[in-house]
Amino acid sequence: KSHYDIFPEIGEDWRNKHQRCLKGEIHQCDEEAFKRSNGSTQWIKWEIRPWYISENNIGGILMHTEDITPLKEKDREKQRIEKILERTNAVARIGTWEVDKEEFIWSDIIQEIHEVPKDYEPDATSVMGFFKKGRSLDLMLNVISKCVFNGTPYDVEVELVTAKGNEIWVRIIGQSEFVNGNSIRIYGILQEITSIK
């Protein structure tokens, strides 16, 4: 049977690709939606290339197709869960943060809590500058040091002074990731708890 008899959904665009491959082209795609005749959508990755009887003599084409629909569905589910978490975190005023040797990463909620602009780029000096001098700053320096050098996780409540000068309370939870005995990053969450305090 012809390939097109087995897959009647194949349209002119695909047939044209096949014809170009019969002339020596190679086509590949990591993901593309393919509408099936029963109305369903199948996600596929594919590669089409000519095969040669001899040099410059093409005998036909080889088509490799892989169904990646389950992977796409998992990806969509992951994105849906991430959106739910993002909305939940916004309501609860919980943000995520991460620090490695190269950069600081703050979620949008943490930027809002610190009252900094969207393009603000935190660094070690500026981040520590937000903690209220005295008990809060001293406590953070202590728990971060233990986390980085000993792997001791922390869960503390401290005061911040935002970029706009507002004093607020936050709860910070942090832990360290170690590789070969060295801390490669610390990460965690930060929640504004001013109203609770």
Side-chain angles (χ1 to χ4, degrees):
K1 286 187 178 180
S2 162
H3 185 66
Y4 307 126
D5 292 334
I6 299 169
F7 299 105
E9 306 95 333
I10 292 175
E12 280 304 311
D13 58 333
W14 280 84
R15 292 175 190 239
N16 290 335
K17 285 175 190 166
H18 297 162
Q19 289 303 311
R20 290 198 299 275
C21 288
L22 283 167
K23 293 174 183 169
E25 289 188 22
I26 295 173
H27 282 279
Q28 57 188 30
C29 179
D30 287 334
E31 62 175 50
E32 186 169 313
F34 187 63
K35 293 282 184 190
R36 303 308 304 264
S37 57
N38 64 5
S40 66
T41 300
Q42 184 179 28
W43 284 89
I44 60 172
K45 66 185 287 188
W46 47 267
E47 180 177 288
I48 309 166
R49 60 174 58 237
W51 61 268
Y52 291 84
I53 296 172
S54 59
E55 191 176 350
N56 300 323
N57 187 7
I58 295 172
I61 55 175
L62 294 172
M63 290 181 276
H64 169 80
T65 309
E66 184 179 345
D67 181 1
I68 58 167
T69 307
L71 294 174
K72 289 294 289 185
E73 287 171 352
K74 277 185 186 173
D75 190 48
R76 277 199 298 268
E77 179 64 12
K78 180 175 173 249
Q79 288 176 8
R80 190 181 71 81
I81 290 168
E82 284 174 353
K83 277 191 182 3
I84 290 170
L85 285 172
E86 202 174 283
R87 287 194 294 267
T88 304
N89 288 348
V91 170
R93 301 286 285 162
I94 297 173
T96 58
W97 57 268
E98 180 179 332
V99 183
D100 63 24
K101 288 182 170 50
E102 302 297 323
E103 63 180 337
F104 280 70
I105 300 171
W106 278 5
S107 68
D108 291 345
I109 298 298
I110 290 189
Q111 288 182 316
E112 288 174 20
I113 290 171
H114 284 77
E115 297 185 318
V116 295
K118 288 279 187 196
D119 60 352
Y120 177 77
E121 294 185 9
D123 58 47
T125 304
S126 65
V127 167
M128 296 313 292
F130 284 106
F131 294 105
K132 190 172 180 182
K133 289 189 172 109
R135 176 200 164 272
S136 292
L137 178 58
D138 294 344
L139 178 58
M140 285 309 301
L141 289 169
N142 184 33
V143 296
I144 289 171
S145 177
K146 287 179 180 175
C147 186
V148 170
F149 294 108
N150 305 326
T152 308
Y154 59 89
D155 183 345
V156 295
E157 295 178 357
V158 292
E159 287 181 276
L160 290 181
V161 179
T162 71
K164 294 183 178 177
N166 295 310
E167 293 186 8
I168 61 171
W169 279 90
V170 295
R171 178 184 181 191
I172 304 177
I173 298 173
Q175 62 185 49
S176 187
E177 179 182 346
F178 276 75
V179 172
N180 298 325
N182 296 312
S183 173
I184 59 167
R185 70 178 181 128
I186 59 172
Y187 59 95
I189 64 168
L190 181 147
Q191 180 182 23
E192 184 181 354
I193 58 168
T194 307
S195 58
I196 297 169
K197 294 298 282 188

